[in-house]
mmCIF file of all heavy atoms in Angstrom:
data_model
loop_
_atom_site.group_PDB
_atom_site.id
_atom_site.type_symbol
_atom_site.label_atom_id
_atom_site.label_comp_id
_atom_site.label_asym_id
_atom_site.label_seq_id
_atom_site.Cartn_x
_atom_site.Cartn_y
_atom_site.Cartn_z
ATOM 1 N N PRO A 517 -23.839 -51.663 -1.375
ATOM 2 C CA PRO A 517 -24.537 -51.314 -2.612
ATOM 3 C C PRO A 517 -25.267 -52.513 -3.190
ATOM 4 O O PRO A 517 -24.783 -53.644 -3.147
ATOM 5 C CB PRO A 517 -23.409 -50.836 -3.536
ATOM 6 C CG PRO A 517 -22.289 -50.449 -2.611
ATOM 7 C CD PRO A 517 -22.402 -51.387 -1.443
ATOM 8 N N ARG A 552 -41.018 -23.478 -20.313
ATOM 9 C CA ARG A 552 -40.428 -22.690 -19.258
ATOM 10 C C ARG A 552 -40.425 -23.421 -17.934
ATOM 11 O O ARG A 552 -39.470 -23.352 -17.177
ATOM 12 C CB ARG A 552 -41.196 -21.373 -19.123
ATOM 13 C CG ARG A 552 -40.607 -20.415 -18.117
ATOM 14 C CD ARG A 552 -41.358 -19.093 -18.124
ATOM 15 N NE ARG A 552 -42.748 -19.278 -17.755
ATOM 16 C CZ ARG A 552 -43.737 -18.506 -18.146
ATOM 17 N NH1 ARG A 552 -43.502 -17.511 -18.966
ATOM 18 N NH2 ARG A 552 -44.974 -18.725 -17.745
ATOM 19 N N VAL A 554 -40.251 -26.269 -15.009
ATOM 20 C CA VAL A 554 -39.429 -27.441 -14.749
ATOM 21 C C VAL A 554 -40.037 -28.188 -13.577
ATOM 22 O O VAL A 554 -40.306 -27.579 -12.546
ATOM 23 C CB VAL A 554 -37.973 -27.040 -14.420
ATOM 24 C CG1 VAL A 554 -37.151 -28.275 -14.109
ATOM 25 C CG2 VAL A 554 -37.362 -26.295 -15.598
ATOM 26 N N GLY A 557 -38.898 -27.536 -9.969
ATOM 27 C CA GLY A 557 -38.081 -26.324 -9.890
ATOM 28 C C GLY A 557 -38.410 -25.391 -11.019
ATOM 29 O O GLY A 557 -39.035 -25.765 -12.006
ATOM 30 N N GLY A 561 -36.785 -21.479 -16.135
ATOM 31 C CA GLY A 561 -37.771 -20.529 -16.634
ATOM 32 C C GLY A 561 -37.471 -19.125 -16.176
ATOM 33 O O GLY A 561 -37.645 -18.157 -16.904
ATOM 34 N N GLU A 583 -44.184 -45.481 -20.756
ATOM 35 C CA GLU A 583 -44.067 -46.731 -20.014
ATOM 36 C C GLU A 583 -42.635 -47.237 -19.944
ATOM 37 O O GLU A 583 -42.260 -47.893 -18.974
ATOM 38 C CB GLU A 583 -44.965 -47.801 -20.649
ATOM 39 C CG GLU A 583 -46.457 -47.479 -20.534
ATOM 40 C CD GLU A 583 -47.312 -48.601 -21.098
ATOM 41 O OE1 GLU A 583 -46.736 -49.601 -21.557
ATOM 42 O OE2 GLU A 583 -48.551 -48.484 -21.060
ATOM 43 N N GLY A 634 -54.974 -21.115 -3.656
ATOM 44 C CA GLY A 634 -54.633 -20.215 -2.571
ATOM 45 C C GLY A 634 -53.143 -20.027 -2.450
ATOM 46 O O GLY A 634 -52.349 -20.741 -3.074
ATOM 47 N N ALA A 642 -38.783 -21.190 2.059
ATOM 48 C CA ALA A 642 -39.093 -22.545 2.521
ATOM 49 C C ALA A 642 -38.061 -23.535 2.000
ATOM 50 O O ALA A 642 -37.592 -23.430 0.862
ATOM 51 C CB ALA A 642 -40.489 -22.955 2.068
ATOM 52 N N HIS A 653 -53.380 -30.941 6.797
ATOM 53 C CA HIS A 653 -52.404 -30.034 7.386
ATOM 54 C C HIS A 653 -51.128 -30.066 6.545
ATOM 55 O O HIS A 653 -50.664 -31.142 6.158
ATOM 56 C CB HIS A 653 -52.077 -30.427 8.831
ATOM 57 C CG HIS A 653 -53.143 -30.056 9.813
ATOM 58 N ND1 HIS A 653 -54.092 -30.952 10.272
ATOM 59 C CD2 HIS A 653 -53.414 -28.879 10.422
ATOM 60 C CE1 HIS A 653 -54.899 -30.348 11.129
ATOM 61 N NE2 HIS A 653 -54.515 -29.085 11.237
ATOM 62 N N THR A 664 -43.852 -24.093 10.132
ATOM 63 C CA THR A 664 -45.207 -23.535 10.122
ATOM 64 C C THR A 664 -46.202 -24.626 9.763
ATOM 65 O O THR A 664 -45.987 -25.387 8.819
ATOM 66 C CB THR A 664 -45.318 -22.386 9.111
ATOM 67 O OG1 THR A 664 -44.349 -21.381 9.430
ATOM 68 C CG2 THR A 664 -46.709 -21.770 9.139
ATOM 69 N N LEU A 668 -55.322 -26.509 5.398
ATOM 70 C CA LEU A 668 -55.762 -26.146 4.055
ATOM 71 C C LEU A 668 -57.207 -26.552 3.816
ATOM 72 O O LEU A 668 -57.631 -27.643 4.192
ATOM 73 C CB LEU A 668 -54.877 -26.806 2.997
ATOM 74 C CG LEU A 668 -53.393 -26.423 2.954
ATOM 75 C CD1 LEU A 668 -52.756 -27.022 1.711
ATOM 76 C CD2 LEU A 668 -53.209 -24.936 2.999
ATOM 77 N N LEU A 689 -37.773 -32.134 6.036
ATOM 78 C CA LEU A 689 -38.922 -32.524 6.847
ATOM 79 C C LEU A 689 -39.346 -33.931 6.450
ATOM 80 O O LEU A 689 -39.191 -34.340 5.300
ATOM 81 C CB LEU A 689 -40.104 -31.566 6.645
ATOM 82 C CG LEU A 689 -39.995 -30.146 7.201
ATOM 83 C CD1 LEU A 689 -41.271 -29.373 6.879
ATOM 84 C CD2 LEU A 689 -39.752 -30.153 8.694
ATOM 85 N N ASP A 692 -44.733 -38.736 9.629
ATOM 86 C CA ASP A 692 -45.275 -40.072 9.879
ATOM 87 C C ASP A 692 -46.764 -39.927 10.135
ATOM 88 O O ASP A 692 -47.178 -39.504 11.227
ATOM 89 C CB ASP A 692 -44.574 -40.709 11.085
ATOM 90 C CG ASP A 692 -45.167 -42.065 11.442
ATOM 91 O OD1 ASP A 692 -45.921 -42.629 10.620
ATOM 92 O OD2 ASP A 692 -44.884 -42.562 12.553
ATOM 93 N N PHE A 699 -40.673 -35.000 11.757
ATOM 94 C CA PHE A 699 -39.226 -34.916 11.950
ATOM 95 C C PHE A 699 -38.702 -33.745 11.134
ATOM 96 O O PHE A 699 -39.064 -33.587 9.963
ATOM 97 C CB PHE A 699 -38.535 -36.203 11.500
ATOM 98 C CG PHE A 699 -38.980 -37.436 12.241
ATOM 99 C CD1 PHE A 699 -39.966 -38.256 11.705
ATOM 100 C CD2 PHE A 699 -38.426 -37.772 13.460
ATOM 101 C CE1 PHE A 699 -40.379 -39.398 12.374
ATOM 102 C CE2 PHE A 699 -38.831 -38.904 14.143
ATOM 103 C CZ PHE A 699 -39.818 -39.718 13.609
ATOM 104 N N SER A 702 -31.930 -29.958 10.371
ATOM 105 C CA SER A 702 -31.494 -28.574 10.319
ATOM 106 C C SER A 702 -30.006 -28.466 10.028
ATOM 107 O O SER A 702 -29.242 -29.440 10.146
ATOM 108 C CB SER A 702 -31.825 -27.880 11.643
ATOM 109 O OG SER A 702 -31.242 -26.597 11.730
ATOM 110 N N ILE A 712 -46.688 -34.489 17.518
ATOM 111 C CA ILE A 712 -47.865 -33.635 17.360
ATOM 112 C C ILE A 712 -49.136 -34.342 17.806
ATOM 113 O O ILE A 712 -49.991 -33.775 18.485
ATOM 114 C CB ILE A 712 -47.988 -33.186 15.894
ATOM 115 C CG1 ILE A 712 -46.759 -32.346 15.515
ATOM 116 C CG2 ILE A 712 -49.268 -32.402 15.657
ATOM 117 C CD1 ILE A 712 -46.712 -31.958 14.072
ATOM 118 N N SER A 733 -35.782 -39.699 5.822
ATOM 119 C CA SER A 733 -36.752 -40.679 5.333
ATOM 120 C C SER A 733 -37.170 -41.543 6.510
ATOM 121 O O SER A 733 -36.399 -41.724 7.456
ATOM 122 C CB SER A 733 -36.156 -41.544 4.215
ATOM 123 O OG SER A 733 -37.142 -42.393 3.660
ATOM 124 N N ASP A 769 -26.462 -17.278 38.529
ATOM 125 C CA ASP A 769 -25.279 -16.434 38.663
ATOM 126 C C ASP A 769 -24.115 -17.173 39.304
ATOM 127 O O ASP A 769 -23.002 -16.635 39.372
ATOM 128 C CB ASP A 769 -25.605 -15.190 39.498
ATOM 129 C CG ASP A 769 -26.568 -14.255 38.769
ATOM 130 O OD1 ASP A 769 -26.510 -14.216 37.526
ATOM 131 O OD2 ASP A 769 -27.374 -13.580 39.434
ATOM 132 N N ASN A 788 -16.645 -13.013 48.181
ATOM 133 C CA ASN A 788 -15.932 -14.258 48.469
ATOM 134 C C ASN A 788 -14.445 -14.181 48.129
ATOM 135 O O ASN A 788 -13.700 -15.137 48.400
ATOM 136 C CB ASN A 788 -16.557 -15.426 47.704
ATOM 137 C CG ASN A 788 -17.988 -15.689 48.105
ATOM 138 O OD1 ASN A 788 -18.456 -15.228 49.151
ATOM 139 N ND2 ASN A 788 -18.712 -16.426 47.259
ATOM 140 N N LYS A 789 -14.040 -13.038 47.511
ATOM 141 C CA LYS A 789 -12.645 -12.872 47.091
ATOM 142 C C LYS A 789 -12.184 -14.029 46.208
ATOM 143 O O LYS A 789 -11.120 -14.614 46.392
ATOM 144 C CB LYS A 789 -11.724 -12.762 48.327
ATOM 145 C CG LYS A 789 -12.054 -11.612 49.251
ATOM 146 C CD LYS A 789 -11.867 -10.283 48.550
ATOM 147 C CE LYS A 789 -12.046 -9.112 49.533
ATOM 148 N NZ LYS A 789 -13.449 -8.999 50.002
ATOM 149 N N ARG A 799 -26.171 -31.664 30.161
ATOM 150 C CA ARG A 799 -27.161 -32.031 29.133
ATOM 151 C C ARG A 799 -28.271 -32.915 29.673
ATOM 152 O O ARG A 799 -29.314 -33.034 29.045
ATOM 153 C CB ARG A 799 -26.459 -32.757 27.993
ATOM 154 C CG ARG A 799 -25.860 -31.922 26.866
ATOM 155 C CD ARG A 799 -25.368 -30.604 27.254
ATOM 156 N NE ARG A 799 -24.679 -29.914 26.146
ATOM 157 C CZ ARG A 799 -23.797 -28.960 26.320
ATOM 158 N NH1 ARG A 799 -23.467 -28.585 27.551
ATOM 159 N NH2 ARG A 799 -23.238 -28.351 25.289
ATOM 160 N N ILE A 853 -24.481 -36.262 0.676
ATOM 161 C CA ILE A 853 -25.838 -36.590 0.236
ATOM 162 C C ILE A 853 -26.705 -35.339 0.218
ATOM 163 O O ILE A 853 -26.715 -34.557 1.160
ATOM 164 C CB ILE A 853 -26.460 -37.653 1.159
ATOM 165 C CG1 ILE A 853 -25.639 -38.947 1.103
ATOM 166 C CG2 ILE A 853 -27.908 -37.922 0.788
ATOM 167 C CD1 ILE A 853 -26.084 -39.992 2.094
ATOM 168 N N VAL A 856 -32.480 -38.273 -0.683
ATOM 169 C CA VAL A 856 -32.585 -39.679 -0.300
ATOM 170 C C VAL A 856 -34.017 -40.154 -0.532
ATOM 171 O O VAL A 856 -34.978 -39.385 -0.390
ATOM 172 C CB VAL A 856 -32.189 -39.875 1.188
ATOM 173 C CG1 VAL A 856 -33.138 -39.126 2.118
ATOM 174 C CG2 VAL A 856 -32.144 -41.340 1.557
ATOM 175 N N THR A 870 -23.630 -34.395 -4.091
ATOM 176 C CA THR A 870 -23.071 -33.282 -4.838
ATOM 177 C C THR A 870 -21.991 -33.737 -5.811
ATOM 178 O O THR A 870 -21.597 -32.965 -6.692
ATOM 179 C CB THR A 870 -22.470 -32.258 -3.860
ATOM 180 O OG1 THR A 870 -21.512 -32.913 -3.012
ATOM 181 C CG2 THR A 870 -23.561 -31.638 -2.988
ATOM 182 N N VAL A 883 -32.511 -52.172 8.527
ATOM 183 C CA VAL A 883 -33.918 -51.775 8.564
ATOM 184 C C VAL A 883 -34.754 -53.004 8.259
ATOM 185 O O VAL A 883 -34.975 -53.368 7.118
ATOM 186 C CB VAL A 883 -34.219 -50.669 7.531
ATOM 187 C CG1 VAL A 883 -35.694 -50.268 7.610
ATOM 188 C CG2 VAL A 883 -33.332 -49.461 7.785
#
Side-chain angles (χ1 to χ4, degrees):
R552 184 175 62 208
V554 178
E583 294 183 0
H653 284 98
T664 303
L668 297 189
L689 290 180
D692 176 14
F699 300 96
S702 171
I712 297 175
S733 186
D769 292 329
N788 297 343
K789 301 297 186 292
R799 273 32 174 203
I853 298 173
V856 63
T870 55
V883 181

